[in-house]
Amino acid sequence: MANMTLTKTPMPEQDPNVRNHNFQEVALGYTAEMAMEEAKRCLQCKKPKCVEGCPVNIHIPEFIAKVAEGDFQAAYEIVTSTNALPALSGRVCPQESQCESKCVRGVKGEPVAIGRLERFVADWYRENVNAMPEKPESNGIKVAVVGSGPAGLTCAAELDKKGYEVTIFEALHRAGGVLVYGIPEFRLPKAIVANEVRKLEAMGVTVMTDMVIGKVLSIDELFDEMGFKAVFVGSGAGLPMFMHIPGEALRGVYSANEYLTRINLMKAYRDDYDTPIKSDAKRIAVIGGGNVAMDAARCAKRMGAEEVYIVYRRSEKELPARLEEIHHAKEEGIIFKTLSNPIEVLGDENGYVKGMVCQEMELGEPDASGRRRPVAKEGCTFTLDVDCMIMSIGTSPNPLIRSTTPGLETNKHGCIITNGDDGLTTREGVYA
Ligand code: SF4
């Protein structure tokens, strides 16, 4: 019988005042009973809108029906028939703007917790079965995948299933891309990413780390000297943007990318690692309002800062981060300073950050993005006493690949241009 409760079955979490001192996962996942109870909220729609909202069109009602029956193995097989990485997407996909935003149960009440169920199914499989997949029969055609983030791993898995001989080239010393250097352990445990990479290797995918394509090897060399017949570029957007304000080069100013990489990939929070980071910072400002800013702020709190601010130039309503991340950040004690924009970083006599001057903002007319444009409130500034700043105002693709690959065209943001249908770029044999 359907469960007509209007709200999602809650998922247990660590207490906010405990978790803001550790890096263990915040959300603890459903038990089998909770998952079955939540699965019974699904109405098994004949024309399921949720599937239209899913970028990889997971057969959502079918897998949820199996969860409701308690047949978790069958549910896992249905999910993985279209999604290679359910343990990851169940945790970090923005379901509230994708599948769950379309769920009919959301018309009156909360939608079915599709993401939590996807995560449950993947975790159940990993904890109870975790069989390594078989290696498919090879068609003898070599394909290179540049980057081992979500795009690279997914592309490699799909091509491998079709019989291609896939090699992933990763620039860093560990595979996973943004999943390991960007997203913190408390949102996505790295052991889960490593397990997904191990499964790919069992399927026959070769993973080569410390391989910066554009430096160690060019895309031309992948074709001409290594015999690859196609290259997929999934190298992400790892080049941080800065504000270009006075004092930005002072000691104690980080890009969010660098700060998160030191903590997540290079384990600066662990005593058994020597990764340098400004660990004595007590008042930290994170500039920006996206998911990366929330991750950086929540990491800063866990690193021991007493006060951590999110400084954002629009109002709270316009924060681009997922609602869940904003909610978690607030619960953990992050202070939101909205309608504020840094205009100068102040330094002490040794060149370290000692504060920043902010301009108060107000919202004007909507800009091209449809959001109301922040405009300076004349004569209204204030100084925030901080000893560390983390810039999280966006990233763009690293120019290395486009600058070393003749014929590969990019747009004004530096993103590789594709035909949109199958990802083919302006360079023959190169996809993105
Ligand atoms: Fe179930 Fe909601 Fe999808 Fe309908 S739209 S099938 S209720 S998850």
Side-chain angles (χ1 to χ4, degrees):
M1 203 168 114
N3 171 359
M4 295 312 290
T5 314
L6 291 181
T7 51
K8 291 178 180 176
T9 308
M11 179 157 63
E13 290 176 351
Q14 280 198 74
D15 181 86
N17 290 318
V18 173
R19 70 181 193 236
N20 62 11
H21 292 98
N22 70 53
F23 276 82
Q24 285 149 29
E25 196 169 14
V26 167
L28 303 174
Y30 278 157
T31 61
E33 292 71 32
M34 290 171 188
M36 289 168 73
E37 191 183 324
E38 179 61 21
K40 288 178 187 148
R41 292 186 64 230
C42 173
L43 301 178
Q44 294 294 311
C45 306
K46 288 267 176 307
K47 287 190 181 151
K49 293 270 183 209
C50 53
V51 178
E52 291 169 21
C54 172
V56 292
N57 301 124
I58 294 176
H59 306 309
I60 293 170
E62 289 86 346
F63 103 77
I64 292 181
K66 292 297 174 192
V67 175
E69 287 170 23
D71 188 349
F72 307 137
Q73 170 82 33
Y76 177 81
E77 282 161 16
I78 293 168
V79 172
T80 50
S81 68
T82 55
N83 178 11
L85 307 168
L88 312 181
S89 50
R91 283 174 168 79
V92 298
C93 258
Q95 291 101 7
E96 69 278 9
S97 58
Q98 297 180 338
C99 54
E100 292 183 15
S101 74
K102 309 262 179 184
C103 171
V104 291
R105 290 297 310 262
V107 175
K108 193 176 168 199
E110 289 181 349
V112 175
I114 301 167
R116 293 178 186 177
L117 291 172
E118 185 187 20
R119 168 192 163 141
F120 166 78
V121 165
D123 288 355
W124 176 88
Y125 185 83
R126 190 180 63 258
E127 286 158 15
N128 292 280
V129 184
N130 208 21
M132 288 294 135
E134 302 271 307
K135 189 174 170 179
E137 198 176 322
S138 168
N139 63 15
I141 301 171
K142 287 173 64 177
V143 178
V145 170
V146 181
S148 66
L153 295 179
T154 304
C155 179
E158 295 305 323
L159 290 176
D160 184 274
K161 279 194 236 164
K162 290 180 169 28
Y164 292 95
E165 291 185 14
V166 183
T167 302
I168 297 178
F169 294 92
E170 166 56 47
L172 295 173
H173 63 273
R174 186 159 304 146
V178 73
L179 303 169
V180 294
Y181 77 74
I183 300 178
E185 181 79 17
F186 56 81
R187 279 216 292 135
L188 176 61
K190 303 309 154 221
I192 292 175
V193 183
N195 193 58
E196 296 301 334
V197 174
R198 259 197 309 279
K199 281 202 285 196
L200 277 186
E201 288 176 321
M203 289 164 72
V205 172
T206 303
V207 180
M208 296 183 74
T209 53
D210 296 314
M211 295 294 282
V212 183
I213 298 302
K215 283 267 184 210
V216 181
L217 286 169
S218 66
I219 285 184
D220 282 345
E221 285 168 324
L222 293 176
F223 282 118
D224 302 340
E225 291 171 29
M226 298 189 72
F228 289 100
K229 298 293 179 213
V231 177
F232 172 77
V233 182
S235 50
L239 192 68
M241 292 178 188
F242 285 91
M243 296 187 75
H244 306 292
I245 56 176
E248 212 173 13
L250 284 164
R251 294 156 129 186
V253 179
Y254 292 87
S255 70
N257 263 35
E258 180 185 351
Y259 189 74
L260 289 171
T261 300
R262 283 171 187 262
I263 292 173
N264 299 325
L265 180 69
M266 299 164 74
K267 312 288 181 208
Y269 64 94
R270 280 175 41 178
D271 293 338
D272 53 338
Y273 279 72
D274 285 335
T275 305
I277 197 158
K278 191 165 167 37
S279 53
D280 61 347
K282 293 290 169 239
R283 292 165 61 89
I284 300 183
V286 180
I287 319 305
N291 289 323
V292 176
M294 300 302 142
D295 285 344
R298 296 171 72 196
C299 281
K301 192 79 182 168
R302 284 162 172 78
M303 292 299 289
E306 287 159 10
E307 286 180 13
V308 181
Y309 299 95
I310 287 281
V311 178
Y312 179 58
R313 62 194 184 131
R314 288 184 159 96
S315 76
E316 177 156 346
K317 203 164 137 255
E318 286 82 25
L319 280 168
R322 292 182 70 186
L323 284 178
E324 183 181 84
E325 304 310 326
I326 297 167
H327 170 72
H328 278 148
K330 283 187 173 173
E331 277 189 335
E332 290 169 13
I334 308 301
I335 303 159
F336 283 70
K337 283 217 169 286
T338 52
L339 291 169
S340 304
N341 199 29
I343 51 174
E344 185 179 358
V345 189
L346 306 173
D348 66 14
E349 60 283 5
N350 297 315
Y352 284 95
V353 175
K354 69 166 190 181
M356 65 180 193
V357 181
C358 290
Q359 169 72 57
E360 283 185 32
M361 310 295 284
E362 55 193 352
L363 294 179
E365 294 301 310
D367 62 15
S369 73
R371 295 183 301 172
R372 289 178 65 191
R373 188 192 302 274
V375 288
K377 229 174 167 179
E378 214 173 307
C380 297
T381 60
F382 64 94
T383 301
L384 200 58
D385 173 21
V386 291
D387 50 5
C388 180
M389 275 178 75
I390 301 167
M391 296 294 183
S392 182
I393 55 169
T395 54
S396 61
N398 189 311
L400 196 54
I401 287 180
R402 71 169 185 262
S403 63
T404 56
T405 311
L408 192 67
E409 286 178 23
T410 54
N411 66 17
K412 64 177 181 185
H413 303 294
C415 300
I416 297 170
I417 295 169
T418 68
N419 66 8
D421 294 331
D422 53 15
L424 185 61
T425 68
T426 51
R427 171 74 193 269
E428 198 186 339
V430 179
Y431 297 77

